[in-house]
């Protein structure tokens, strides 16, 4: 036996596995607890009055502390969106689905959300949507408590109402 | 809502996983095929380094490629060891205590990184070891086709 086999092994598979404990911290913990109560918690810039959701400790705009919390209902407007055609590991939504930026009523920035219960072709900027929550008793204080957003059927919001909240 | 006060702390156990598919390339690929098909550990004799195991396909001294294939023995000597007394689930390859070792195989001039699972009290630099192979049909072309090294003598 003078040589190893002519045909090489082409590849090896390996899995990097990193378990860790994520600690939410004060503001984020409030936001998580809020989800359990079907509320989105935002924090208010003490200088400009802008509301950030999820809550920020300090305003990235004015650098002023955000010392006041506000609870927002899960209703808002689609400010921008994309249609997802490629599966994402850990997300078992049926393809294609819509990933959207949703500006909640009372918030000055938007959050990311999946839009369901309508055809992807029907999603548009300005569409009014509402959160669909996990049933009472099943919410754990996690972003998974929000299943997705769905159209409310209300008339579309005018662009000037959400232009600065993209 | 009012100003910040105390809030119940919140944490979550999370896992980040990265599945990798490494292309092995010609040299390492044939080394792995040797483990699987021949139950043989192959090294590469390269300029300035002697017999390198596992082979890399080039010399680290002068960067020259090529070299002669040399079969080395599956016995050797431990040149470095670290005993893992408390393995972490899925982070380490075993759930029971084991040792990471570097083994300089007989006929080789460099050391192969591997594990010892039994007789950890005998694991020390200079101890002689022998490979425990997985049986025919269970070897897949991976360095883990050598199940572990066993301290002998």
């Amino acid at each position: 036996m003078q040589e190893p086999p002519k045909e090489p092994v082409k590849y090896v598979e390996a899995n990097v596995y990193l378990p860790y404990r994520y600690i939410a911290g004060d503001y984020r913990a409030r936001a998580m607890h809020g989800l359990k109560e079907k509320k989105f918690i935002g924090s208010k810039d003490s200088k400009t009055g802008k509301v950030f959701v999820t809550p920020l400790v300090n305003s990235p705009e004015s650098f002023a502390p955000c010392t006041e919390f506000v609870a927002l209902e899960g209703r808002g407007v689609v400010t921008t969106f994309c249609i997802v055609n490629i599966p994402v590991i850990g997300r078992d939504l049926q393809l294609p689905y819509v990933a959207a930026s949703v500006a909640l009523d009372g918030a000055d920035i938007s959050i990311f959300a999946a839009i369901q219960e309508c055809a992807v072709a029907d999603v548009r900027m300005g569409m009014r949507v509402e959160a669909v929550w996990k049933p009472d008793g099943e919410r754990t204080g996690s972003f998974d408590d929000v299943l997705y957003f769905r159209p409310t059927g209300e008339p579309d919001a005018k662009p000037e109402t959400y232009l600065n909240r993209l | 809502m009012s100003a910040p006060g105390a809030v119940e702390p919140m944490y979550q156990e999370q896992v980040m996983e990265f599945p990798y598919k490494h292309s092995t390339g010609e040299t390492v690929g044939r080394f792995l095929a040797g483990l699987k098909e021949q139950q043989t550990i192959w090294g590469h004799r390269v300029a300035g380094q002697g017999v390198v195991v596992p082979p890399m396909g080039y010399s680290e001294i002068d960067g020259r490629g090529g070299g002669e294939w040399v079969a080395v023995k599956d016995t050797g000597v431990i040149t470095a060891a670290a005993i893992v007394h408390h393995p972490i689930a899925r982070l380490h390859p075993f759930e029971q205590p084991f040792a990471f070792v570097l083994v300089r195989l007989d006929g080789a001039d460099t050391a192969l990184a591997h594990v010892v699972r039994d007789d950890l009290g005998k694991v020390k630099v200079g101890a002689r070891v022998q490979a425990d192979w997985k049986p025919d049909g269970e070897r897949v072309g991976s360095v883990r086709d050598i199940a572990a090294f066993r301290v002998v003598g």
Side-chain angles (χ1 to χ4, degrees):
Chain A
M1 202 161 35
Q2 289 301 301
E3 285 216 334
K6 292 274 180 245
E7 187 59 36
V9 169
K10 297 278 195 302
Y11 59 84
V12 289
E13 289 184 47
N15 200 34
V16 177
Y17 180 85
L18 303 170
Y20 62 99
R21 173 175 286 190
Y22 167 78
I23 296 172
D26 186 353
Y27 278 40
R28 183 58 62 92
R30 283 166 201 276
M32 307 291 247
H33 284 299
L35 294 172
K36 221 168 166 175
E37 315 297 326
K38 300 210 277 192
K39 301 282 185 201
F40 289 91
I41 306 299
S43 67
K44 194 179 268 190
D45 184 330
S46 59
K47 204 164 177 179
T48 66
K50 279 196 175 179
V51 172
F52 305 111
V53 57
T54 55
L56 299 178
V57 179
N58 281 85
S59 165
E61 236 177 29
S62 70
F63 308 120
C66 300
T67 48
E68 191 186 333
F69 292 103
V70 290
L72 307 175
E73 305 296 329
R75 298 170 72 82
V77 54
V78 172
T79 59
T80 183
F81 66 95
C82 70
I83 297 172
V84 181
N85 287 292
I86 297 168
V88 177
I89 293 169
R91 207 165 216 230
D92 52 352
L93 286 174
Q94 206 188 333
L95 295 176
Y97 66 88
V98 169
S101 240
V102 171
L104 295 172
D105 297 342
D108 287 283
I109 54 174
S110 58
I111 60 172
F112 277 106
I115 310 295
Q116 301 269 278
E117 291 192 32
C118 77
V120 295
D122 293 341
V123 178
R124 57 208 179 264
M125 293 175 77
M127 188 167 81
R128 298 279 306 159
V129 291
E130 65 183 358
V132 177
W133 300 88
K134 272 193 188 167
D136 290 351
E138 290 182 25
R139 292 187 302 277
T140 58
S142 146
F143 288 116
D144 293 338
D145 291 345
V146 188
L147 295 172
Y148 53 84
F149 279 68
R150 69 179 169 208
T152 64
E154 297 163 275
D156 283 6
K158 291 198 168 66
E160 55 269 27
T161 64
Y162 60 84
L163 259 183
N164 295 322
R165 301 190 289 152
L166 296 180
Chain B
M1 294 176 80
S2 61
V7 66
E8 190 189 327
M10 199 170 228
Y11 65 86
Q12 213 172 42
E13 308 297 337
Q14 296 187 342
V15 172
M16 209 179 276
E17 277 184 280
F18 302 101
Y20 278 99
K21 211 171 186 177
H22 297 273
S23 289
T24 45
E26 174 81 8
T27 305
V28 174
R30 293 183 68 188
F31 164 78
L32 294 173
L35 298 177
K36 178 184 176 184
E37 294 168 30
Q38 302 168 330
Q39 201 171 310
T40 300
I41 303 169
W42 288 93
H44 231 175
R45 190 188 303 282
V46 293
Q49 279 188 282
V51 176
V52 176
V53 179
M56 294 197 298
Y58 61 92
S59 163
E60 284 192 312
I61 305 297
D62 60 13
R64 259 190 289 176
E68 175 201 356
W69 285 101
V70 179
V72 300
K73 295 238 166 69
D74 68 355
T75 53
V77 62
I78 293 175
T79 62
I83 294 176
V84 179
H85 294 280
H86 300 287
I88 297 169
R90 296 191 60 185
L91 199 61
H92 287 122
F94 310 105
E95 289 175 12
Q96 298 301 317
F98 69 98
F100 281 119
V101 290
L102 290 179
V103 178
R104 192 174 63 240
L105 296 165
D106 296 329
D109 293 290
T110 63
L112 173 75
H114 219 283
V115 295
V116 172
R117 301 193 63 182
D118 302 319
D119 298 326
L120 297 183
K122 295 184 188 169
V123 170
K124 46 185 63 102
V125 171
R128 288 202 54 81
V129 291
Q130 173 154 29
D132 259 349
W133 292 87
K134 289 199 176 152
D136 289 353
E138 286 185 28
R139 294 193 304 275
V140 296
S142 151
V143 75
R144 294 189 73 178
D145 288 350
I146 300 170
F149 278 86
R150 179 182 303 282
V151 180
V152 290

